[in-house]
Amino acid sequence: MDTKELLKKVRKIEIKTRRLSDHIFGGEYHSTFKGRGMTFSEVRQYQFGDDVRSIDWNVTARYNEPFVKVFEEERELTMMLMVDVSGSELFGTQEQFKNEVVTEIAATLAFSATQNNDKIGLILFSDKVELFIPPKKGRSHVLRIIRELIEFNPESKQTNLAEALKFLSNVMKKKAIVFVLSDFIADDYHQTMKIVSGKHDVTGIRVYDKREEQIPNLGMVQMQDEETGELMLVNTSSKKVRRNYGKFYQEKVDYYKDAFTKSGAGTIDCRVDESYVKKLLGYFKRRG
């Protein structure tokens, strides 16, 4: 992709997702994800209805009239976007590929965090960490993240979520808001997920295509595993083949939901032909 085309794509995503974060998600994000606590801001004269427990007795004694302490939320937070860039993300039978929807969701979340003056970082992972962008503030930083999401070319097509979660634990010492965006066709990450969720506020966003849930009856079809590159002839007219595939897929989905829920993490399921806006908004409202 040449620079001109890349910048055009980045701008297009910025316009769409920034509008969403400005008008829809900014306030919801703020009320859902709280700051680290309350810090003293100032004192002011007591007003009817103020909590008597907030009276500053030293100032009250000095001026011979009641004054109360005013506190502000210590707001600054860090958001980490963990994005699966393995081969299975390059799949789509609807209008968009999974990785395109993932990019839009990540950009919307990043702009929502920017609105609240929070830092945003990025981890792109396959079966290893492919790219780490440390958390920073600002629009230019978010545009860099979008640029990487659009044009990054991973070295590996396979997936290892546990490795990515271990990396997160090592680089993020303070509590962060973590969004993991993937199709979660992976396993063996339950224990690592438990450790990470104990320290961070984690949400898994599963982006999938409806054709992945069940193979349609199309007769003999040559298929390629995007993660291993293996080519195989599949008899999709066989009920047993379709049933076994459906079972395999459902087991991965169940594992993801079990691993996240039992670890105290949140989950969002978003099909590529559905509105991720409604899904995110619903999740924020439930949590808020």
Side-chain angles (χ1 to χ4, degrees):
M1 191 184 300
D2 62 35
T3 307
K4 193 176 176 182
E5 190 186 345
L6 174 63
L7 291 173
K8 197 175 170 184
K9 274 198 167 190
V10 171
R11 182 68 182 141
K12 189 178 174 183
I13 288 172
E14 181 191 11
I15 290 167
K16 180 177 179 179
T17 58
R18 190 157 198 164
R19 195 184 300 128
L20 289 172
S21 61
D22 285 349
H23 298 301
I24 302 173
F25 295 112
E28 295 296 340
Y29 168 85
H30 185 103
S31 59
T32 303
F33 301 104
K34 304 296 183 187
R36 287 192 289 263
M38 304 301 284
T39 55
F40 173 71
S41 174
E42 59 181 351
V43 293
R44 62 163 170 77
Q45 283 184 303
Y46 178 86
Q47 294 171 2
F48 179 74
D50 283 340
D51 189 340
V52 293
R53 290 174 296 182
S54 62
I55 291 175
D56 187 320
W57 295 107
N58 291 330
V59 178
T60 296
R62 193 180 311 146
Y63 290 97
N64 209 26
E65 60 178 310
F67 277 78
V68 293
K69 292 177 181 177
V70 178
F71 292 87
E72 286 181 348
E73 182 186 357
E74 192 182 346
R75 174 65 221 175
E76 186 179 285
L77 297 169
T78 298
M79 176 193 284
M80 284 302 302
L81 298 167
M82 295 183 64
V83 179
D84 182 354
V85 290
S86 64
S88 63
E89 295 302 315
L90 298 169
F91 182 87
T93 59
Q94 308 299 313
E95 291 179 4
Q96 285 181 295
F97 288 113
K98 288 188 287 184
N99 64 328
E100 292 172 329
V101 176
V102 163
T103 297
E104 285 191 18
I105 294 172
T108 303
L109 292 169
F111 280 123
S112 296
T114 297
Q115 255 193 309
N116 286 279
N117 205 32
D118 294 341
K119 294 177 181 176
I120 304 106
L122 177 70
I123 293 172
L124 300 181
F125 69 93
S126 54
D127 59 351
K128 61 182 180 180
V129 172
E130 298 269 358
L131 177 72
F132 171 54
I133 299 179
K136 272 177 69 178
K137 295 181 183 182
R139 173 179 174 265
S140 59
H141 181 66
V142 173
L143 293 179
R144 185 200 166 189
I145 285 173
I146 295 171
R147 207 162 56 239
E148 293 292 357
L149 287 166
I150 292 171
E151 71 165 356
F152 188 81
N153 189 20
E155 290 179 12
S156 173
K157 289 188 172 185
Q158 297 184 36
T159 313
N160 188 329
L161 179 53
E163 278 301 307
L165 291 168
K166 283 175 193 170
F167 179 86
L168 175 81
S169 270
N170 290 333
V171 294
M172 297 302 296
K173 300 303 178 190
K174 289 183 179 177
K175 183 179 179 178
I177 298 163
V178 180
F179 287 98
V180 187
L181 295 98
S182 174
D183 53 15
F184 295 98
I185 307 298
D187 45 31
D188 294 333
Y189 56 84
H190 199 151
Q191 201 54 42
T192 322
M193 185 71 232
K194 211 171 180 178
I195 296 164
V196 170
S197 289
K199 190 161 114 181
H200 303 291
D201 186 337
V202 185
T203 301
I205 303 180
R206 184 173 76 95
V207 178
Y208 66 103
D209 189 290
K210 65 180 180 182
R211 288 295 185 204
E212 292 177 295
E213 297 178 285
Q214 194 65 54
I215 299 175
N217 185 349
L218 299 171
M220 291 296 289
V221 178
Q222 187 177 57
M223 294 185 177
Q224 182 176 26
D225 186 319
E226 281 293 344
E227 298 206 359
T228 64
E230 184 186 354
L231 283 168
M232 61 196 94
L233 268 177
V234 179
N235 181 12
T236 62
S237 59
S238 163
K239 285 183 181 178
K240 186 181 177 184
V241 167
R242 295 201 303 275
R243 189 170 58 247
N244 286 345
Y245 172 81
K247 185 172 176 249
F248 162 82
Y249 183 83
Q250 194 55 49
E251 281 172 358
K252 299 293 183 191
V253 174
D254 291 344
Y255 183 89
Y256 147 73
K257 290 190 174 174
D258 191 59
F260 273 72
T261 306
K262 285 187 177 174
S263 302
T267 61
I268 304 171
D269 287 349
C270 187
R271 215 168 66 190
V272 293
D273 58 329
E274 294 177 327
S275 166
Y276 65 80
V277 175
K278 286 181 183 175
K279 293 296 180 89
L280 287 177
L281 205 51
Y283 178 73
F284 284 176
K285 282 184 183 296
R286 284 195 305 275
R287 281 200 45 163

